[in-house]
Amino acid sequence: MAASKSDMQIVKIDEGAVNARILARESKADFRRVEAASIKVVARLTSAEGKRLFVRFFSTLQLNAHFISVIARTRLESADVAKVEEAIKSRIDGVATNLNQAIDGAEALFKANGITSAATYDTKPMEIEVGVISSTGRRYLELIAKLDQLMPLLQTLEIHEVINTQVLDQQRATLKRQVRDVANSARSLASGLRRRMNAMAAAAGSAARGQGAAGDAREGSEEHHNNGVVEESPEGAEAVASIEAEHRGEGARYESPADEPAPKAGDPD
C-alpha cells in the first residue's frame, strides 16, 4: 500500500498552534464604546512579522485614529484635527512607497537571478475578519499586507545567496520599524490632542469658578433687596463640571495604547 502524504512527512508541521499562541499573548483592544460602522475584511497574513505587527498595532492604531477623527473633533477646531489626520496619512504613504520599492527591487533580483518561485511558510496563515472603521485603518492594514508580501521574497533571496543574512536582517528590521512607528506616531498625536482638550476643559472650569464666585458676591448683596430670593443660573460651575466629567470619561475610554510589548521568550520579533 502506498504511504500517504502525512505518513511520509519527516518533520512535524504547524497545525495552527503558532497563530493561537500569537493571539493569546496579546492584549485585546476594547472597541465596545466605538460607535462606528465598519467594513468587514478578512486579513490573511503568512509571515511571522506581518502577523505580530497586525496583532500588536492594528487595533490600537484604529482606536487612536477614531479618537483623533471623531472624539477630538467635538472639542477642537476641525482644521487642527485635519492637520493631524494628514500627518498620519502622509507617514503611511511614505512607508508604503518604501515597501513598494523594496518589493520591486526584490522582484527585479528574482528575475536577474532566474528565481521563479518564492519561499512559502509551513505555519498556517492567520486569517481573521476585522472591522475597518476608517480610511486610516484601511491604509494601515494595506501597509501590513505589503510588509507580509515582502518578507518571504527577502527570505528567498537569502536562501539563494543573492543577499546575505546581514542585508536580510537590516532590511527586515528597518521596514518593520517604519510600520510600527506609524502606529506609535498616531498614539503620540492622539495624546497631544487629548492634552489640549484637557487644558481647554481646565481653563473653562477655572473661568466658570471665577464667574461663579463673582456672581455669589453680587447675589449676596442683592438678597435683602429681593427678600432673600436668589435665582440660580442654569450655567456656571456645575455645567462645566459636567462637561469635564464627560471629557474625562472620553479620555479614559480612548487612552493611548502602551508601547509595543517586549517580545516573549521564544517569540521571534
Side-chain angles (χ1 to χ4, degrees), residues 31 33-40 66 70 131-134 254:
F31 274 73
R33 295 186 178 181
V34 176
E35 299 178 358
S38 64
I39 295 175
K40 306 306 184 288
H66 180 76
V70 179
V132 178
I133 63 175
S134 68
Y254 296 93

Side-chain angles (χ1 to χ4, degrees), residues 9 12 24 37 52 55-56 100 108 128 132-133 143 153 155 186 192 195-196 198 229 232 236 244 248 254 256 263:
Q9 290 176 346
K12 292 183 178 180
R52 285 172 171 80
V55 171
R56 289 173 178 166
N100 286 334
I128 303 177
V132 178
I133 63 175
L143 204 64
L153 301 183
Q155 188 73 56
R195 286 193 294 270
R196 287 178 59 184
N198 288 337
V229 177
E232 292 187 3
E244 288 182 316
R248 285 194 297 272
Y254 296 93
S256 295

Side-chain angles (χ1 to χ4, degrees), residues 32-195:
R32 289 174 296 179
R33 295 186 178 181
V34 176
E35 299 178 358
S38 64
I39 295 175
K40 306 306 184 288
V41 177
V42 176
R44 188 180 190 275
L45 303 165
T46 60
S47 71
E49 296 81 7
K51 292 174 183 178
R52 285 172 171 80
L53 284 170
F54 169 78
V55 171
R56 289 173 178 166
F57 294 107
F58 176 68
S59 292
T60 54
L61 179 282
Q62 287 225 101
L63 286 177
N64 280 317
H66 180 76
F67 177 86
I68 291 167
S69 297
V70 179
I71 306 304
R73 207 170 238 111
T74 66
R75 306 292 189 212
L76 303 175
E77 292 292 333
S78 182
D80 293 339
V81 176
K83 291 178 182 178
V84 173
E85 292 172 323
E86 185 58 34
I88 296 172
K89 290 181 178 179
S90 294
R91 187 156 196 161
I92 291 175
D93 289 343
V95 179
T97 297
N98 294 340
L99 284 168
N100 286 334
Q101 291 175 347
I103 291 171
D104 291 343
E107 290 176 345
L109 289 175
F110 268 55
K111 184 176 181 179
N113 290 275
I115 301 172
T116 57
S117 61
T120 58
Y121 297 94
D122 292 328
T123 52
K124 292 283 186 180
M126 179 183 287
E127 295 186 350
I128 303 177
E129 184 179 81
V130 296
V132 178
I133 63 175
S134 68
S135 59
T136 303
R138 176 185 56 78
R139 287 171 178 236
Y140 193 62
L141 185 60
E142 291 172 353
L143 204 64
I144 295 173
K146 288 181 186 293
L147 180 83
D148 189 66
Q149 177 186 352
L150 175 63
M151 290 299 103
L153 301 183
L154 295 178
Q155 188 73 56
T156 303
L157 293 173
E158 192 279 330
I159 291 171
H160 286 283
E161 297 187 275
V162 178
I163 62 175
N164 60 35
T165 304
Q166 183 178 5
V167 172
L168 169 65
D169 289 343
Q170 287 176 345
Q171 289 197 41
R172 181 165 53 197
T174 297
L175 293 168
K176 282 174 56 182
R177 183 177 65 251
Q178 290 179 9
V179 174
R180 182 174 64 241
D181 286 350
V182 170
N184 289 337
S185 175
R187 184 193 65 237
S188 297
L189 291 168
S191 296
L193 294 181
R194 187 179 294 105
R195 286 193 294 270

Side-chain angles (χ1 to χ4, degrees), residues 228-249:
V229 177
V230 181
E231 296 182 358
E232 292 187 3
S233 170
E235 302 174 353
E238 290 186 2
V240 173
S242 176
I243 294 174
E244 288 182 316
E246 177 187 352
H247 189 65
R248 285 194 297 272

Side-chain angles (χ1 to χ4, degrees), residues 9-25:
Q9 290 176 346
I10 61 173
V11 296
K12 292 183 178 180
I13 62 174
D14 171 63
E15 295 294 339
V18 171
N19 294 335
R21 185 170 67 248
I22 292 172
L23 292 169
R25 290 184 176 184

